[in-house]
Amino acid sequence: MEIRALHTGEQAPTELLLLADPSPKLVEDYVARGQCFVAEADQQVVGVYVLLPTRPETAELVNIAVDEEFQGQGIGKQLVNHAIQEAKRLGFKTLEIGTGNSSIGQLALYQKCGFRITGIDKDFFIRHYSEEIYENGMQVVDMIRLSQDL
Ligand code: ACO
Ligand code: ACO
């Protein structure tokens, strides 16, 4: 499997990106402002992440997703670790990530990759999404913010 930046003019894998964020508008905005990387196996795109510069020396991993057929095989972890190395290489000092209060597996993955919880953006998903979202039997309301020094 290879993880690489999108080629110039190459279309971002929108369907995959929408697995991580149900808002087409936010996804389009992230892709336009950030840098998109894909994981490719046998010439098939199986994973994606977007690295977005936010503040001086700070970037955020705003969208990460693995094709459902390929989940649970370590690709997500490889993508997160690739993003950490890439952010370091680009000279960022801090990498941030955020996920829903209900995203138990994602919170495990990010902490296993070195992120620490720094705060809670209360009611983020109420303020920014028009529809109610449910996951693991819970409504997604708050965004858990995590960060790591690079
Ligand atoms: N308890 C403990 N550990 C857990 C749990 C849990 N409930 N769930 C997952 N994990 C761990 C796994 O054990 C594994 O760690 P390990 O290698 O130490 O065993 C790790 O978390 C996940 O492993 P991967 O197989 O690398 O993950 P995967 O390839 O399935 O990708 C991803 C994870 C990207 C979250 C994938 O499930 C996905 O695409 N989900 C849908 C989209 C999504 O929710 N994206 C994130 C939104 S937030 C954002 O984009 C910033
Ligand atoms: N994802 C989604 N839902 C989950 C997950 C998960 N990974 N793990 C548990 N749940 C849900 C279950 O699905 C269930 O909800 P549901 O009825 O809607 O399906 C609920 O959490 C737990 O169900 P119970 O069977 O009622 O819980 P249990 O009798 O096992 O008791 C407890 C839970 C007290 C935490 C028990 O596991 C325990 O004693 N653990 C060891 C001691 C401990 O950790 N105590 C808490 C320390 S913090 C404190 O005391 C304040």
Side-chain angles (χ1 to χ4, degrees):
M1 198 192 63
E2 186 203 3
I3 300 175
R4 60 166 176 86
L6 276 192
H7 300 310
T8 318
E10 186 181 359
Q11 192 72 21
T14 309
E15 252 179 63
L16 266 185
L17 291 162
L18 287 169
L19 280 182
D21 190 322
S23 164
K25 189 171 164 288
L26 284 183
V27 166
E28 196 181 313
D29 179 58
Y30 291 152
V31 171
R33 293 194 293 132
Q35 188 166 13
C36 186
F37 292 80
V38 290
E40 205 170 37
D42 295 332
Q43 296 181 336
Q44 185 190 348
V45 171
V46 296
V48 66
Y49 77 81
V50 177
L51 196 61
L52 181 73
T54 51
R55 297 188 299 281
E57 303 196 319
T58 302
E60 182 168 346
L61 184 44
V62 283
N63 189 308
I64 177 161
V66 172
D67 186 316
E68 274 164 357
E69 269 186 55
F70 294 85
Q71 288 178 10
Q73 300 175 20
I75 298 172
K77 209 174 201 179
Q78 285 184 58
L79 285 168
V80 174
N81 285 326
H82 189 276
I84 293 166
Q85 292 312 317
E86 191 60 26
K88 235 184 241 182
R89 195 183 67 78
L90 292 167
F92 291 104
K93 297 281 190 288
T94 306
L95 184 62
E96 298 183 330
I97 195 162
T99 194
N101 54 281
S102 54
S103 299
I104 294 165
Q106 289 80 343
L107 285 166
L109 168 62
Y110 305 152
Q111 290 178 87
K112 282 177 172 181
C113 291
F115 287 92
R116 298 276 302 272
I117 293 174
T118 51
I120 298 170
D121 194 342
K122 280 202 118 184
D123 291 327
F124 177 90
F125 292 92
I126 306 281
R127 284 185 274 113
H128 293 285
Y129 294 81
S130 51
E131 284 167 22
E132 290 183 354
I133 314 165
Y134 287 82
E135 182 187 30
N136 291 320
M138 286 170 274
Q139 187 177 356
V140 194
V141 287
D142 303 320
M143 181 186 278
I144 311 295
R145 303 286 317 163
L146 303 97
S147 168
Q148 72 173 282
D149 295 335
L150 300 172

